[in-house]
Amino acid sequence: MKTNFTKIISILLPLGLLMTSCNKLLEVTPKYIYTTEQIYANDQLADSVVLALYGKFANMQTNLSLTTGFSSDEIKPGINSFNPGYTFMYSYNLNPFSGPTNDFWSECYTVVGITNTMIEGAGQSTGMSQTGKDEVLGQAKFMRALNYYFLVNLYGDVPLVLSSNYQEERLKPRTGVSTIYAQIIKDLEDASLLLADDYRDQRVRANKWAALALLSRVYLFTKDWSKAEAAASQVIGENKRYTLGKLDGPDGTEAMDIFVKNNPEQILQLWNSLGASIGAVSMGEYASFAVTEDAQGLLQAFEPNDKRKNNYIKFEETTASYQINKYRSTGEDTTPNNEYTSVLRLSEQYLNRAEARLELGLPTAIDDVNILRKRAGLTNLSSGLSKAQALTAIVQERRVELCFEWADRWFTLKRLGLADAVMSKAKPNTWRSFAQLYPVPTTEIQNNRKLTQNPGYTN
């Protein structure tokens, strides 16, 4: 899947903006590349950087959406998985020298480095229109916020890099989580003002509503319930632009369309020239991922008659295991070439708002959960649930609705302080509490002595 985007990047950025290695901590584009004014000479050239930015980010979709599932109770290595790193993630036997999680650091910081050059380049441009500048700045700030959201949840305190000056930024120490979140919120608030309301064509670039949708999630992490509720409500209120998609009909006359490209449930998707999305690596005889099916596993988490069970999970006879069924395009001629990977979708906004309203003491909290349950063919939950019962219900709905999507389950367990209780039952023989944070790659610490390792790991 990475090959598809390499072509895009090499065509759009002949100056080599994205071709630099990130073997060193926070290494971004060398100065001789981004001191030129050529790439930001006009709106069209600058827009090519936005396209390439999304192409680079799209290379991370399998790692962040799926391999993080090994850390939670969603996914286990497939029977025909030949990647030993997946087994190490599943059993929390991570090595900071060559661990499979090392790529998260370099990939996220590579994107951050690109966004910093975009912010500086567009901001200093004399040839771009104000509309063009707003688009580039808004996209860069949105993507910088998204990648810092991943970094802070994967590693905890991380260096906060806000410029492209490699000599100044390469030796920064780790910055506290609260400061990182403050920057994430600032970037998203800026992006919500800079970006247009509508999409240019397909739903493959962030717009105002994507920034607000991500803000609603981030506010849950900072416990700003009023702002989380308000941001989610704004997105849900755009009902001419966003509506829930449909699941497979019981009689087979309707097919699930939620993950089809440009479905109205989708707030942001990742374009893919093959239309194969994650289905290319998550389905079939050689899929590296299998759904957990033990008593604590995801398969057993679905209630009887929940239509999501058969829509999101499928039994694969050749491997005698359950596989991810959300994305069904494999890039082969036998499957529809019509899917893009979901980054943000409307269903999450109902769950974000439900949790925020619960914390605010609003009686309508459970109504948002029931909207999703109705689509899934389940009965409504009672409005008379206690706060503890209602939160458990929201976490349950989040688990079965957003499974396999950008580490949502893993991050939710940690955010709510549930990781130890849940994972000690799911993996009693291997769970270690310090595994809630991944190890900082040893190569990064060797290149920056101001960095420290996360507890539990040895450099």
Side-chain angles (χ1 to χ4, degrees):
M1 294 177 67
K2 292 186 178 182
T3 304
N4 304 330
F5 297 101
T6 302
K7 295 178 181 178
I8 298 170
I9 295 168
S10 60
I11 291 171
L12 293 178
L13 294 181
L15 295 177
L17 179 63
L18 301 184
M19 307 310 291
T20 48
S21 168
C22 196
N23 293 327
K24 297 180 180 180
L25 169 66
L26 313 182
E27 185 171 1
V28 295
T29 323
K31 283 188 174 181
Y32 75 89
I33 290 178
Y34 56 78
T35 53
T36 179
E37 296 179 358
Q38 291 180 344
I39 198 68
Y40 299 100
N42 56 53
D43 292 357
Q44 184 176 7
L45 284 172
D47 193 60
S48 70
V49 187
V50 176
L51 293 175
L53 172 68
Y54 275 90
K56 182 63 177 176
F57 177 72
N59 286 339
M60 300 161 59
Q61 59 187 314
T62 300
N63 280 346
L64 275 166
S65 279
L66 299 186
T67 61
T68 49
F70 293 131
S71 298
S72 72
D73 51 3
E74 286 185 325
I75 298 174
K76 61 182 179 180
I79 191 172
N80 289 322
S81 172
F82 302 105
N83 188 334
Y86 291 171
T87 301
F88 294 150
M89 287 189 71
Y90 181 73
S91 61
Y92 312 109
N93 186 22
L94 292 175
N95 182 340
F97 287 95
S98 58
T101 61
N102 286 5
D103 287 345
F104 298 147
W105 181 286
S106 61
E107 288 174 344
C108 286
Y109 271 117
T110 296
V111 172
V112 168
I114 296 166
T115 63
N116 289 339
T117 65
M118 292 169 64
I119 292 169
E120 294 170 8
Q124 298 167 6
S125 172
T126 58
M128 295 176 64
S129 69
Q130 189 59 53
T131 300
K133 284 187 176 185
D134 288 349
E135 171 70 6
V136 172
L137 292 171
Q139 296 294 346
K141 290 191 173 190
F142 171 85
M143 195 59 75
R144 185 167 69 181
L146 179 59
N147 279 266
Y148 267 118
Y149 161 77
F150 289 130
L151 282 166
V152 80
N153 278 286
L154 296 171
Y155 299 100
D157 297 349
V158 292
L160 181 59
V161 179
L162 300 177
S163 87
S164 61
N165 190 325
Y166 171 61
Q167 294 303 321
E168 293 182 2
E169 303 290 359
R170 61 186 289 267
L171 298 178
K172 277 195 168 183
R174 300 174 74 163
T175 301
V177 168
S178 61
T179 302
I180 300 292
Y181 271 121
Q183 183 62 48
I184 291 171
I185 290 170
K186 183 180 185 302
D187 276 347
L188 291 175
E189 288 176 341
D190 288 349
S192 70
L193 298 175
L194 291 164
L195 293 171
D197 287 16
D198 211 348
Y199 300 95
R200 288 190 176 187
D201 181 17
Q202 303 189 77
R203 300 182 176 216
V204 294
R205 291 190 189 203
N207 61 3
K208 171 182 179 177
W209 311 109
L212 288 172
L214 185 54
L215 261 176
S216 78
R217 181 197 302 173
V218 170
Y219 284 138
L220 296 183
F221 283 78
T222 60
K223 301 185 186 304
D224 197 332
W225 313 119
S226 295
K227 289 185 177 179
E229 196 277 342
S233 292
Q234 283 185 268
V235 179
I236 293 169
E238 280 293 301
N239 50 28
K240 292 184 178 179
R241 186 175 279 116
Y242 303 114
T243 57
L244 292 175
K246 63 177 182 291
L247 297 167
D248 286 342
D251 56 1
T253 57
E254 290 184 318
M256 179 176 69
D257 65 0
I258 297 172
F259 301 96
V260 170
K261 57 187 179 183
N262 305 310
N263 184 270
E265 180 165 338
Q266 295 295 333
I267 301 170
L268 179 63
Q269 295 177 292
L270 290 179
W271 177 85
N272 188 308
S273 62
L274 295 178
S277 299
I278 296 174
V281 296
S282 62
M283 299 180 68
E285 183 178 357
Y286 298 103
S288 297
F289 310 96
V291 176
T292 53
E293 52 188 282
D294 57 285
Q296 305 297 325
L298 178 59
L299 182 70
Q300 305 302 326
F302 290 90
E303 298 174 53
N305 303 319
D306 189 334
K307 293 194 293 185
R308 289 171 294 197
K309 181 175 182 179
N310 292 328
N311 277 260
Y312 295 169
I313 294 174
K314 179 182 180 181
F315 184 76
E316 171 60 48
E317 293 184 359
T318 58
T319 60
S321 64
Y322 287 88
Q323 294 184 352
I324 298 164
N325 196 39
K326 280 187 168 179
Y327 299 100
R328 302 171 185 183
S329 296
T330 61
E332 304 294 335
D333 293 338
T334 55
T335 59
N337 192 22
N338 65 349
E339 290 178 348
Y340 294 159
T341 303
S342 176
V343 181
L344 294 163
R345 59 190 179 98
L346 182 63
S347 59
E348 184 200 347
Q349 299 305 298
Y350 285 107
L351 293 166
N352 293 349
R353 190 170 71 172
E355 185 175 338
R357 286 182 169 179
L358 177 66
E359 295 293 344
L360 291 169
L362 299 177
T364 54
I366 212 66
D367 294 344
D368 284 334
V369 177
N370 285 334
I371 289 173
L372 299 182
R373 289 178 62 83
K374 181 178 179 180
R375 178 174 69 171
L378 299 175
T379 58
N380 283 347
L381 296 175
S382 169
S383 59
L385 296 176
S386 68
K387 181 179 179 180
Q389 290 172 327
L391 181 59
T392 297
I394 291 170
V395 173
Q396 158 67 13
E397 289 300 316
R398 198 166 189 110
R399 182 183 190 187
V400 295
E401 179 62 39
L402 300 177
C403 52
F404 323 124
E405 296 186 40
W406 299 97
D408 190 85
R409 173 65 172 173
W410 180 228
F411 293 172
T412 297
L413 289 176
K414 296 195 294 178
R415 173 173 65 84
L416 296 175
L418 299 174
D420 273 325
V422 170
M423 298 313 304
S424 61
K425 290 182 179 179
K427 304 177 189 179
N429 297 324
T430 58
W431 170 248
R432 290 178 277 184
S433 185
F434 69 78
Q436 293 181 59
L437 293 179
Y438 292 151
V440 176
T442 299
T443 54
E444 308 297 349
I445 295 176
Q446 290 172 341
N447 288 316
N448 179 5
R449 293 300 179 179
K450 291 183 181 179
L451 284 180
T452 56
Q453 185 57 269
N454 279 327
Y457 303 101
T458 303
N459 291 327

